[in-house]
Amino acid sequence: MTARPVESVISPLLSVPVVPEPAAALLLAGLGLAPRTTIPAWITDPGLRADILTGFMDIPDDLRGA
C-alpha cells in the first residue's frame, strides 16, 4: 500500500485580514485600544476637547459626523 501525499488546504477566511489604516485606527479607537485623535468641530469648549483627548469623555460614533 502506497502512502497518499499530504495536501494542504488553506481557506482565505483563515488568512490574516488586511485592514486599511484609516479603518483600523477607527476600529481600535472604538474598541478602546487606541486613543481617539479627532474631535468633532462642533465641540468648541477647550476643557471638553481636552477631556475627550485624554479619554475622560467619549463621543458616540453616531454624533461624530462624517
Side-chain angles (χ1 to χ4, degrees), residues 3 13 18 21 25 29 33 53 58:
L13 298 175
V18 177
E21 186 174 336
L33 300 174
L53 286 176
D58 191 25

Side-chain angles (χ1 to χ4, degrees), residues 23-51:
L26 293 173
L27 176 63
L28 292 174
L31 293 173
L33 300 174
R36 295 196 185 241
T37 57
T38 60
I39 301 173
W42 55 267
I43 298 177
T44 57
D45 180 23
L48 181 58
R49 293 178 74 83
D51 287 345

